[in-house]
Amino acid sequence: MEKLSKELIGASSTPIILSILSKNESYGYEIIQNVKEISNGKIEYGDGTLYPVLHKLEKKELIESYWKTADNGRKRKYYKISTKGKKELLAEKENWTSINQIISKLWKIEPSLT
Amino acid sequence: MENRTEFNLNKNIEIWKSELSQKSNMTKDNINELESHLRDEIHELKLLGLNTEESLLIAEKRIGNVEDLSTEFGKINKGIYFRNKIIPYLKGILLFFAFVTIIDLMTNLIILITEKTGLNNTNTYDISIVFLILLTITLLIISYRKYKSGNFNMQKLTNIPTLVTIIVGSKILSDIIISTSGSRMMNFASLQISLKVYKYLFALFILAFSCLTYYYSKKDNKIEISE
């Protein structure tokens, strides 16, 4: 399966992670699995590379983290979206919708030129 | 058999964690989070039918090697990275300070001795030379012996709390000696103090900065391998 480019994965990581966390609180491993599943394997975050992204978002106060003991007795660090994060997600949605519209427009015009 | 494997898994994870903690830009929390990830991965792999050892190997491979992880985390843990980089320089400065304060202490001690014993200036000079030579030889002998017996520990010597204690301790001792001694040294000392306010301010700054750096680096640090 063809994977998306590194740049595209990087640029889309904030809206994707925020969207996932806006539905449910989650932890690193689950987020990776989730994204892989939703994107049909086109986006696969490296195991070790997701955490710095999460910590960056936490520093920006878009998400919050806390340790929680799971049912099997193991501790996991959970993340949830903050109020600031929800606002950021709305802004991201607008940005990506605009890009989507621009590109769709361009690609619809193109065939009529040839 | 199962028990033995379980034990090995925990032990191996501890080793992996301690390797990560050697890197200068990861906090304890970061490492614990990665451990939880590693355990999730191992759990999934075991469900696929791999044994514990195989699962650990693959999970470690997937999570990435220590170098790469450290680089990735370094991008967000800049403060920690900075602290770990600055510590060697601070140690150098503190070592120099310790040297200077010890020499000051020796000087004051010699002046005190000559004053109490009523010797004159020429004798002070001779005594100080003999004293310093004796001190140097003693130190050399001690370090040589320690080196020979393999006990010579540079890390202990350049430990920030040790150095700060040495500096503050010998400074206080020096001051006590000055305050208990006669008028000649009092005049000399007060002249020195009034001229060297800037030196002391700088020294205070370095000492405070070292203590803070040490405190924070302890706070976000290191995991030992538990037996």
Side-chain angles (χ1 to χ4, degrees), chain A residues 18 27 59 76 88:
Chain A
L18 288 181
Y27 52 95
K59 245 181 205 164
R76 283 199 185 107
E88 176 71 21

Side-chain angles (χ1 to χ4, degrees), chain B residues 97-113:
Chain B
F97 269 177
F99 176 75
V100 171
T101 47
I102 287 173
I103 293 295
D104 273 356
L105 177 65
M106 292 304 146
T107 316
N108 289 341
L109 208 63
I110 291 160
I111 296 178
L112 181 74
I113 291 168

Side-chain angles (χ1 to χ4, degrees), chain A residues 52-89:
Chain A
V53 179
L54 285 171
H55 298 163
K56 207 171 74 193
L57 293 178
E58 195 184 356
K59 245 181 205 164
K60 287 185 187 166
E61 295 173 351
L62 302 178
I63 59 176
E64 291 158 10
S65 74
Y66 47 95
W67 284 91
K68 202 166 103 176
T69 313
D71 299 333
N72 57 9
R74 279 233 325 277
K75 277 186 169 179
R76 283 199 185 107
K77 197 176 180 184
Y78 277 80
Y79 295 89
K80 71 172 188 192
I81 193 164
S82 67
T83 327
K84 200 176 163 189
K86 283 177 189 159
K87 277 184 198 155
E88 176 71 21
L89 180 59

Side-chain angles (χ1 to χ4, degrees), chain B residues 7-222:
Chain B
F7 170 72
N8 274 343
L9 175 68
N10 286 333
K11 184 83 191 164
N12 275 308
I13 289 179
E14 288 297 323
I15 292 170
W16 177 76
K17 280 168 76 179
S18 85
E19 264 171 36
L20 283 177
S21 81
Q22 301 292 321
K23 290 288 156 197
S24 34
N25 35 28
M26 277 187 175
T27 66
K28 203 172 172 177
D29 193 74
N30 292 158
I31 294 169
N32 284 337
E33 189 175 23
L34 285 175
E35 182 200 356
S36 133
H37 181 102
L38 191 78
R39 287 184 185 274
D40 276 326
E41 191 92 61
I42 290 170
H43 178 73
E44 287 297 320
L45 288 165
K46 275 167 105 176
L47 289 181
L48 292 175
L50 295 177
N51 70 30
T52 314
E53 204 176 340
E54 291 164 343
S55 307
L56 176 70
L57 274 174
I58 292 174
E60 274 185 6
K61 187 93 185 152
R62 279 194 187 163
I63 212 164
N65 67 43
V66 174
E67 287 301 324
D68 291 347
L69 284 173
S70 152
T71 316
E72 286 299 324
F73 278 86
K75 288 176 193 163
I76 46 152
N77 292 340
K78 287 209 176 80
I80 296 155
Y81 188 67
F82 171 73
R83 277 199 285 285
N84 285 315
K85 285 279 160 196
I86 198 92
I87 281 176
Y89 295 101
L90 274 181
K91 281 183 176 174
I93 297 172
L94 288 177
L95 212 59
F96 178 70
F97 269 177
F99 176 75
V100 171
T101 47
I102 287 173
I103 293 295
D104 273 356
L105 177 65
M106 292 304 146
T107 316
N108 289 341
L109 208 63
I110 291 160
I111 296 178
L112 181 74
I113 291 168
T114 50
E115 247 187 18
K116 293 285 173 202
T117 50
L119 296 166
N120 62 30
N121 275 343
T122 342
N123 288 330
T124 315
Y125 186 69
D126 293 339
I127 289 173
S128 65
I129 298 278
V130 174
F131 195 81
L132 284 178
I133 289 174
L134 281 178
L135 185 77
T136 316
I137 291 173
T138 324
L139 280 178
L140 279 177
I141 290 173
I142 292 174
S143 352
Y144 181 72
R145 282 198 163 175
K146 286 221 163 193
Y147 179 73
K148 266 281 173 192
S149 62
N151 274 335
F152 193 71
N153 193 345
M154 248 338 239
Q155 268 191 338
K156 234 183 209 167
L157 194 67
T158 58
N159 189 335
I160 289 184
T162 315
L163 287 173
V164 171
T165 318
I166 289 176
I167 294 168
V168 174
S170 33
K171 188 74 202 118
I172 290 172
L173 270 179
S174 280
D175 288 349
I176 290 174
I177 290 174
I178 289 171
S179 64
T180 54
S181 73
S183 60
R184 190 175 60 157
M185 198 144 82
M186 261 316 225
N187 290 339
F188 174 64
S190 57
L191 179 73
Q192 238 192 350
I193 289 169
S194 54
L195 285 176
K196 288 183 177 170
V197 173
Y198 288 113
K199 191 179 96 175
Y200 286 126
L201 280 179
F202 180 66
L204 269 179
F205 168 73
I206 291 288
L207 287 178
F209 185 62
S210 309
C211 291
L212 278 178
T213 310
Y214 180 77
Y215 170 73
Y216 281 113
S217 74
K218 270 282 150 210
K219 217 175 119 189
D220 40 50
N221 254 322
K222 307 282 174 183

